[in-house]
Amino acid sequence: MKLWSDAWAEFVPFLSFDVGIRKVICSTNAIESVNARIRKAVRARGHFPNEAAALKCIYMALMSLDPTGKGRMRWTMRWKAPLNAFQIAFEGHLNPSNN
């Protein structure tokens, strides 16, 4: 109970957000998955002769997550509602992108 009462002032504003926004804020599985893939690739390599080699390793690990490029369409469809909710909630603060 003390944890809830101490954090109540920070938690209540969270409830005023749209459900789509709350899901985005609470879900970190995708981010954790990407971080795990990067750690695995870096750990397998062990060491790098220079920064460019390390960046290339990270780039290759990220590209291996979606080798066909079809994941972008699934991502776009899954994030359409939350992005619209962000646009409404923070009108004038987000710049729309056509990419």
Side-chain angles (χ1 to χ4, degrees), residues 37-96:
R37 285 293 282 269
I38 292 171
R39 278 192 306 272
K40 182 178 178 182
V42 169
R43 199 173 29 241
R45 177 73 169 107
H47 69 283
F48 301 96
N50 55 37
E51 185 176 340
L55 290 174
K56 184 175 181 180
C57 178
I58 292 170
Y59 173 79
M60 296 304 290
L62 293 175
M63 290 298 104
S64 72
L65 293 173
D66 186 24
T68 63
K70 294 183 180 181
R72 184 175 191 177
M73 180 58 77
R74 288 192 309 269
W75 183 91
T76 303
M77 296 309 293
R78 188 172 40 233
W79 280 72
K80 190 171 193 155
L83 288 173
N84 288 337
F86 275 117
Q87 188 67 37
I88 291 167
F90 301 103
E91 188 175 354
H93 294 283
L94 299 175
N95 295 327

